[in-house]
Amino acid sequence: MRTIAIGTDISASKLAYGCMRIGNKTEKEAEFAVRTAIECGMNFFDNADIYCGGKSEEYFGKSVKNTDRSKIYIQSKCGIRKGFYDFSKEHIISSAEASVKRMNCGYLDVLCLHRPDVLMEGEEVAQAFDNLYARGLVKHFGVSNFNPMQTELLKKYISYPLIVNQLQLGIFNTGMIDSGMCVNMKNDFAADRDGSVLPYCELNNMVIQAWGPMRSRNGFFPEDVSVAEQAKRLEEYADSFGITKEALSVAFLSRLHNVQPVIGSTNPERIKAIAESENTELTRRQWYLLYKEMGNIIP
């Protein structure tokens, strides 16, 4: 599998495996899914303290207990609590400690702040990061669902580079692409709803981790009737490449060199099928044609 540089010392698989749902499975099923991802070449794993109440992290840790720790990268996220967000020093530290303990992984390669906390006090976040880094519990830091100005505000206080931003991006959720495509035009696609986060992240050496790559407005596109026509065309294109429509959706994202799609399926066969996207690199013509066929504008 191809790799993508995250920060200065992480050579991650182009596809990350997202562990959000493995806690809903049996321990054996979760292990099968994680091991399948590893066998497909994925070495970067995304988790969060809230996923399945911590069970996803627990199951993940058990799934990789016999894996060489130096061969995989483990990321977790914190900051979401029931009904509110919390970037307090105490919560960040205790969340990271609990994640490391649940996964029995020694340290986190990356800790991300999960969603922006409007009540953030930058000095507290900086103290939490300093504590975790000094103790060897976290090697790198990132954010999730942050716009550029929120990221800049956080950077004002901390001493560490933010190396990832996990954002919703998929073939049916291309807002950050649309606004750059339709600059200075009077149409809905020109609306910049995220502060030009796509070029911002590349300018600041932040990899965009695309979550929900197969999510549409009303759920996941294979079952979403609102995008049935596009899904049919997507399947026709996928057939011509000899891959599934889910794999083609991921190949579409992988063509963006600063993007690391996060694959969240717990179905081993689907994981294998999606991994086949790595054998399909769309040409410019093919990428733009697919973008347009999904209902978008090319000015």
Side-chain angles (χ1 to χ4, degrees), residues 146-148 165 167 176 192 194-202 208:
F146 273 51
N147 67 33
N165 190 358
L167 297 158
M176 67 178 73
D192 183 358
D194 51 44
S196 299
V197 72
L198 183 63
Y200 170 86
C201 285
E202 186 165 357
I208 291 178

Side-chain angles (χ1 to χ4, degrees), residues 142-250:
V143 294
S144 180
N145 305 298
F146 273 51
N147 67 33
M149 290 306 293
Q150 290 165 333
T151 305
E152 285 296 311
L153 178 60
L154 179 58
K155 286 166 64 176
K156 173 183 176 181
Y157 297 97
I158 63 175
S159 304
Y160 311 94
L162 297 170
I163 61 174
V164 299
N165 190 358
Q166 194 168 118
L167 297 158
Q168 186 176 8
L169 176 64
I171 200 163
F172 294 119
N173 184 39
T174 55
M176 67 178 73
I177 297 172
D178 304 339
S179 60
M181 194 85 74
C182 295
V183 171
N184 200 36
M185 296 182 69
K186 292 184 177 181
N187 60 52
D188 290 341
F189 289 86
D192 183 358
R193 297 180 172 88
D194 51 44
S196 299
V197 72
L198 183 63
Y200 170 86
C201 285
E202 186 165 357
L203 281 168
N204 287 273
N205 301 313
M206 299 175 73
V207 167
I208 291 178
Q209 295 176 333
W211 68 264
M214 287 163 280
R215 185 184 294 271
S216 58
R217 181 175 298 178
N218 300 311
F220 291 94
F221 74 78
E223 296 80 30
D224 183 358
V225 296
S226 71
V227 292
E229 184 178 340
Q230 294 97 318
K232 182 179 179 180
R233 289 202 294 272
L234 186 64
E235 188 158 23
E236 291 170 353
Y237 282 121
D239 286 345
S240 70
F241 286 102
I243 57 177
T244 65
K245 57 182 180 293
E246 291 87 357
L248 184 57
S249 300
V250 172

Side-chain angles (χ1 to χ4, degrees), residues 5-22:
I6 301 180
T8 57
D9 59 356
I10 294 179
S11 181
S13 51
K14 180 66 172 177
L15 306 184
Y17 184 68
C19 300
M20 184 172 74
R21 294 181 178 82
I22 65 172

Side-chain angles (χ1 to χ4, degrees), residues 78-196:
C78 69
I80 297 179
R81 303 185 72 173
K82 190 173 183 179
F84 65 104
Y85 303 136
D86 188 351
F87 285 0
S88 66
K89 175 184 176 181
E90 292 77 13
H91 183 68
I92 293 172
I93 292 174
S94 64
S95 294
E97 289 173 339
S99 290
V100 170
K101 183 177 180 179
R102 277 191 293 269
M103 291 187 280
N104 192 28
C105 59
Y107 61 90
L108 298 176
D109 292 283
V110 186
L111 175 68
C112 294
L113 299 179
H114 207 157
R115 281 194 177 273
D117 176 10
V118 178
L119 303 181
M120 178 186 79
E121 296 183 25
E123 295 88 350
E124 277 200 73
V125 177
Q127 290 169 13
F129 283 9
D130 287 343
N131 178 292
L132 294 168
Y133 184 84
R135 294 162 59 200
L137 290 179
V138 177
K139 290 189 173 185
H140 305 281
F141 299 92
V143 294
S144 180
N145 305 298
F146 273 51
N147 67 33
M149 290 306 293
Q150 290 165 333
T151 305
E152 285 296 311
L153 178 60
L154 179 58
K155 286 166 64 176
K156 173 183 176 181
Y157 297 97
I158 63 175
S159 304
Y160 311 94
L162 297 170
I163 61 174
V164 299
N165 190 358
Q166 194 168 118
L167 297 158
Q168 186 176 8
L169 176 64
I171 200 163
F172 294 119
N173 184 39
T174 55
M176 67 178 73
I177 297 172
D178 304 339
S179 60
M181 194 85 74
C182 295
V183 171
N184 200 36
M185 296 182 69
K186 292 184 177 181
N187 60 52
D188 290 341
F189 289 86
D192 183 358
R193 297 180 172 88
D194 51 44
S196 299

